[in-house]
Amino acid sequence: MRATTAGVVGAALLASTAFGLAPLAQAAPAPAAVTAAPAQAPSAFRFVDIPGSGGITLKGNVFTPGGSDGSQRYPVVVLPSSWAINDLEYIAQAKQLADSGYVVVSYTSRGFWLSGGQIETAGPPDVADVSKVIDWTLANTPADPDHIGLAGVSYGAGIGLLGAAHDSRVKAVVALSGWADLIDSIYQGRTPHLQAAALLGGAGYLTGRPSPELQKILGNFLTANLAAEDEMIAWGKLRSPATYLDQFNANGTAVMLANGWGDSLFPPNQYAKFYEKLTGPKRLEFRPGDHATAEATGLLGLPNDTWASSKRWLDHYLKGVDNGIGQEQPVQLKSRSTGAYESYDSWAAVPSRTTTLALGAKGLRTGELGGDAGSGWRTTIGTNIDSGADGGIIFLSSLLDQFAQAPPVASIPLLPRAFATVWQSAAYGAAQHVRGTATLHTTLTPSAANGTVIAYLYDVDALGTGKLVTHAPYTWVGRTPGTAFTTDLDLLSTAYDVPAGHRLALVVDTVDPLYIEQNPAFATVTVSSPAADPSWLSVPLTDR
């Protein structure tokens, strides 16, 4: 019996906001406009069973344009479901697409709910399923074989991207809150994302059947088993659309990527890196929010910027509609501070300039950001104690930032200097518009072979209250205790305005509830700035 009650639908929509993890499919630009006019009659809906790869059955549903009598062919959009969600996830958007002249096929990804098989986490069977669903669609609906698109949220986005890379029939893809590099997402800085992995793993066991491979990988990941690191990285690389960049470019797929600045599962950096390497038609959109929250209202059928842009992308590259999206500046950013949109020619063009701030020596543990670097200063902090500087709570913190402009906060003067080292800039006379990726260059000397630090950048007001601008973790493995090494740590990309009169503060500590750290008991780490290689922080700014 199909799970179709209102409660299941609601749960599916809510879960899609939290757990989406699949890659999104891509496609090449449509060679010509589709002749079929948008349907005027209500679209038709039916549940279907679709043969998947390996002989399993995928549960799905189909919307067909109203008035379809078999004499016309329509562009098709295939929507793989998000992690832990069934095929009802996209019902509101699927109906809107069908009403405008698309055949729309949604399906429950293998291993979840009533679809057969096991959860392969966007592995080869999932990629093969995409092609099998396209085959079925062409054989059982009035779909046009020359105008095929893929779209999806989270897990559906990832699966869609991977499917597009492996199936040249796909002409356009929309990947919302997805990933291009799975390892650079949940293992960023060689640091396991604890809350993200635990949430995804729990949802997988609750709503599906994890494969033995996934169970093994998840166990190694959540225990930070370094002995299995190479295996985990190989597993993630196989499931990363960035691995198949050459196939995307050879296919000429029209790829639209969209994500939240605060995505707890798939941070924006990895999407931006992938976007810059694509050579076909492409679009990149970042908005305030966490994983799948920027498009969540659209799943409920409400007006939504992300879905509106997605439909314009599909209309242009699958139906040949001259709606201007192909001529617009392709990088669209929505500021966390103002909510205003900004347009750029490329990701590299986002910052107008980059300011490099020296980590000064004054007070050692309370140094100067932007002052004289001095020579030879060093400061040592203890590990395994949370200083109070944190990246927040998965979903909750970024949702507060999205809807209330209330990111995680910390009292910078009260951070314990035994467990956190702090640098502050002078107060700025004018607002500083941070856009892009800040980078910390520094020298670390650990007391243990393995360890972790987390860097945070705060916007600090006159009372010393810091609002989190961005952060990132960094883990080292197999270093010689007592021997210094340098590192360049990219913080999470963002769009944030520091008001006039405020300061920037850089904080480095060793514990954050978002991550699994590798610091042994009683270990220390020394941060220093050798005269021959001073420490600095580069901050990307726009003059807009």
Side-chain angles (χ1 to χ4, degrees), residues 246-503:
D246 290 346
Q247 291 169 229
F248 279 104
N249 291 336
N251 293 343
T253 309
V255 181
M256 174 180 158
L257 308 170
N259 207 349
W261 289 119
D263 195 312
S264 300
L265 274 60
F266 311 123
N269 302 46
Q270 47 91 32
Y271 247 11
K273 292 176 185 176
F274 178 62
Y275 169 84
E276 286 289 83
K277 295 176 182 177
L278 292 169
T279 59
K282 58 184 179 178
R283 187 176 178 89
L284 179 68
E285 300 185 354
F286 288 142
R287 296 177 175 85
D290 206 308
H291 185 67
T293 62
E295 54 268 19
T297 56
L299 292 173
L300 299 172
L302 301 175
N304 180 276
D305 287 358
T306 307
W307 283 103
S309 186
S310 300
K311 186 175 183 301
R312 292 179 65 221
W313 188 256
L314 295 171
D315 283 349
H316 183 65
Y317 287 102
L318 295 183
K319 297 171 72 176
V321 176
D322 185 12
N323 54 21
I325 198 167
Q327 288 74 50
E328 294 173 358
Q329 290 178 295
V331 176
Q332 299 286 320
L333 310 182
K334 188 174 184 180
S335 168
R336 290 170 52 200
S337 302
T338 67
Y341 280 98
E342 301 169 358
S343 303
Y344 301 89
D345 289 330
S346 68
W347 176 250
V350 170
S352 305
R353 55 192 171 88
T354 297
T355 182
T356 299
L357 306 175
L359 275 59
K362 182 179 179 181
L364 292 180
R365 290 192 176 94
T366 309
E368 296 174 328
L369 188 60
D372 181 5
S375 62
W377 66 257
R378 51 195 290 122
T379 178
T380 300
I381 56 175
T383 63
N384 298 302
I385 299 293
D386 190 341
S387 72
D390 289 326
I393 300 172
I394 190 172
F395 295 121
L396 176 61
S397 296
S398 290
L399 278 171
L400 288 173
D401 186 42
Q402 178 180 354
F403 293 109
Q405 294 183 7
V409 299
S411 176
I412 304 304
L414 296 181
L415 293 177
R417 282 0 188 219
F419 301 101
T421 184
V422 181
W423 295 265
Q424 291 193 82
S425 72
Y428 289 103
Q432 303 295 296
H433 307 289
V434 181
R435 299 290 186 275
T437 308
T439 300
L440 170 63
H441 173 84
T442 193
T443 297
L444 303 176
T445 305
S447 68
N450 301 342
T452 300
V453 295
I454 304 94
Y456 307 88
L457 187 62
Y458 283 98
D459 158 24
V460 185
D461 64 17
L463 298 177
T465 299
K467 292 184 177 181
L468 187 64
V469 177
T470 181
H471 79 286
Y474 173 75
T475 293
W476 63 88
V477 176
R479 292 287 181 176
T480 302
T483 299
F485 64 92
T486 59
T487 184
D488 290 285
L489 174 58
D490 286 343
L491 279 61
L492 301 182
S493 302
T494 195
Y496 183 96
D497 295 343
V498 179
H502 286 208
R503 304 168 182 263

Side-chain angles (χ1 to χ4, degrees), residues 190-236:
R190 214 173 178 180
T191 310
H193 290 213
L194 172 61
Q195 293 182 20
L199 189 63
L200 290 170
Y205 277 101
L206 184 65
T207 62
R209 301 167 298 283
S211 67
E213 182 183 31
L214 173 56
Q215 295 179 48
K216 180 181 178 182
I217 290 291
L218 189 61
N220 287 330
F221 191 87
L222 289 173
T223 58
N225 182 4
L226 292 172
E229 184 179 48
D230 289 345
E231 180 183 359
M232 289 190 290
I233 290 175
W235 176 88

